[in-house]
Amino acid sequence: MTVNDQATGQQPAATYDSAFLKACRREAVPHTPVWFMRQAGRSLPEYRKVREGTGMLESCMRPDLVTEITLQPVRRHGVDAAIYFSDIVVPLKAIGVDLDIKPGVGPVVERPIRTRADLAQLRDLTPDDVSYVTEAIGMLTGELGATPLIGFAGAPFTLASYLVEGGPSRNHEHTKALMYGDPQLWADLLDRLAEITSAFLKVQIEAGASAVQLFDSWVGALAPADYRRSIMPASRKVFDAVASYGVPRIHFGVGTGELLGLLGEAGADVVGVDWRVPLDEAARRVGPGKALQGNLDPAVLFAPREAVEAKTDEVLAAAAGLEGHVFNLGHGVLPSMDPDALTRLVEYVHTRTAR
């Protein structure tokens, strides 16, 4: 019995030998596994239909909708893993932070965190706060069978950036001002967010998720020295908190070419790479003992089929010497992308890498 069996009471044997989990563990695979960040969402007409009249946060809290939306790309594209449909601010909403996801804008926080008194908004997250997550994952694992489910959460830095800025930001000026100007408050904020994030991931793993991904969407805005000093302790705390479950831990950020080694050092088993750094060079920066995930430029999918295949071949060639490789885009699926292009891409990668 694995640690995951002991922790969850689940029998993960159905997914254990999947191509996705084998690649994460850096084992031999029958073909390179494929999944896409944001594979469930606005690019799919069936998603837009099922979401009609339902806000984003409400959708994330309805197990029936979460299950249907998570399954849609698995049915359509034949991807090797599903990713739990949610949003990185869901755990913050669950503990009572006054926020909303505004169409065309993103998460907007009513009372940004700028002082120590503002930390009172962030209480501990309990499983009861997100009982709908447990229910939805139970429904999903029953439907998915041998297809692994990836749980996910936002990393402490990215959550902090939304909370401090009050919403999306291009320059992260308030966030950096707090990080540089009050290092102790900053450390306490990230430590509290690490606790909340860890609890959210534990709920997903204990409900049956076969792997987890920590999204640090905005961390590419930082210099390596700042990441090591001010961010890595909190990210490492999250990875350490779920290490005993024995599920693969994936770490991804955008614009993180200079941070790739540090992302792995924080505790990830798999390091996600955006499209800016070739995978062979990424492997050099990350070092041995880690699988890599990525990294086709999402915009390539708008080119003719021959161009898509040529660029895919470049990614696969760069990945040829890796210890483990999960094929993905270098960022998320774009809303205007043709879903059929994604389906063809999955088939192409499977065919080209069949062993």
Side-chain angles (χ1 to χ4, degrees):
M1 182 176 282
T2 67
V3 173
N4 194 38
D5 290 323
Q6 296 168 339
T8 68
Q10 303 283 333
Q11 295 297 322
T15 62
Y16 186 82
D17 287 328
S18 64
F20 169 72
L21 291 180
K22 280 178 173 285
C24 291
R25 297 193 302 263
R26 295 175 286 122
E27 297 173 2
V29 292
H31 59 263
T32 297
V34 187
W35 73 278
F36 304 117
M37 290 177 283
R38 295 184 186 153
Q39 63 188 17
R42 293 170 293 174
S43 66
L44 299 181
E46 57 265 41
Y47 167 82
R48 295 192 294 271
K49 182 177 180 180
V50 79
R51 272 280 317 277
E52 280 179 3
T54 306
M56 178 62 182
L57 283 172
E58 182 186 347
S59 300
C60 296
M61 297 175 188
R62 284 182 47 185
D64 60 331
L65 273 182
V66 170
T67 300
E68 170 60 22
I69 292 167
T70 301
L71 290 172
Q72 284 175 349
V74 179
R75 297 189 197 113
R76 179 186 273 262
H77 303 314
V79 286
D80 293 278
I83 183 162
Y84 183 76
F85 176 76
S86 187
D87 188 272
I88 63 170
V89 299
V90 162
L92 300 180
K93 184 72 172 179
I95 62 171
V97 175
D98 189 356
L99 60 83
D100 196 12
I101 299 176
K102 297 192 175 179
V105 178
V108 177
V109 179
E110 183 66 26
R111 273 198 311 128
I113 291 178
R114 306 280 172 82
T115 68
R116 181 160 295 279
D118 294 330
L119 283 181
Q121 296 181 56
L122 303 179
R123 66 166 175 82
D124 290 343
L125 178 82
T126 70
D128 288 342
D129 293 321
V130 287
S131 58
Y132 47 85
V133 173
T134 300
E135 183 179 349
I137 291 180
M139 295 166 66
L140 276 165
T141 52
E143 292 279 346
L144 285 166
T147 302
L149 176 67
I150 305 168
F152 88 94
F157 173 79
T158 291
L159 293 178
S161 73
Y162 281 116
L163 287 169
V164 175
E165 300 292 338
S169 172
R170 178 171 295 181
N171 299 311
H172 307 282
E173 54 265 38
H174 294 294
T175 305
K176 291 184 177 182
L178 179 59
M179 181 175 71
Y180 297 134
D182 194 339
Q184 189 57 56
L185 176 57
W186 174 258
D188 292 345
L189 169 61
L190 258 67
D191 188 69
R192 191 164 298 187
L193 290 170
E195 293 280 357
I196 293 165
T197 299
S198 300
F200 191 53
L201 289 178
K202 287 178 180 179
V203 167
Q204 295 175 68
I205 296 168
E206 291 181 7
S210 295
V212 290
Q213 176 158 311
L214 194 66
F215 283 86
D216 216 345
S217 307
W218 305 128
V219 77
L222 297 176
D226 289 330
Y227 179 88
R228 181 179 289 280
R229 177 177 56 249
S230 302
I231 312 304
M232 188 190 284
S235 294
R236 177 180 282 140
K237 183 172 183 175
V238 175
F239 285 121
D240 287 349
V242 298
S244 65
Y245 291 97
V247 303
R249 299 160 297 170
I250 310 169
H251 203 3
F252 174 76
V254 185
T256 53
E258 297 301 319
L259 304 177
L260 287 172
L262 295 171
L263 294 182
E265 194 177 328
D269 304 299
V270 184
V271 177
V273 184
D274 76 10
W275 67 93
R276 295 171 177 88
V277 180
L279 289 175
D280 49 357
E281 170 59 19
R284 188 189 67 78
R285 298 182 188 187
V286 171
K290 309 285 183 183
L292 296 187
Q293 179 175 277
N295 68 338
L296 185 70
D297 185 340
V300 168
L301 272 295
F302 292 91
R305 182 170 182 168
E306 295 76 14
V308 174
E309 292 178 355
K311 295 299 289 185
T312 300
D313 286 341
E314 290 180 15
V315 172
L316 294 174
L322 300 184
E323 296 181 57
H325 177 220
V326 176
F327 190 96
N328 208 312
L329 303 180
H331 198 197
V333 171
L334 299 170
S336 56
M337 197 171 283
D338 177 7
D340 291 341
L342 291 169
T343 305
R344 289 193 297 268
L345 179 57
V346 174
E347 182 181 6
Y348 185 75
V349 172
H350 284 172
T351 301
R352 290 282 285 126
T353 60
R355 294 167 177 84

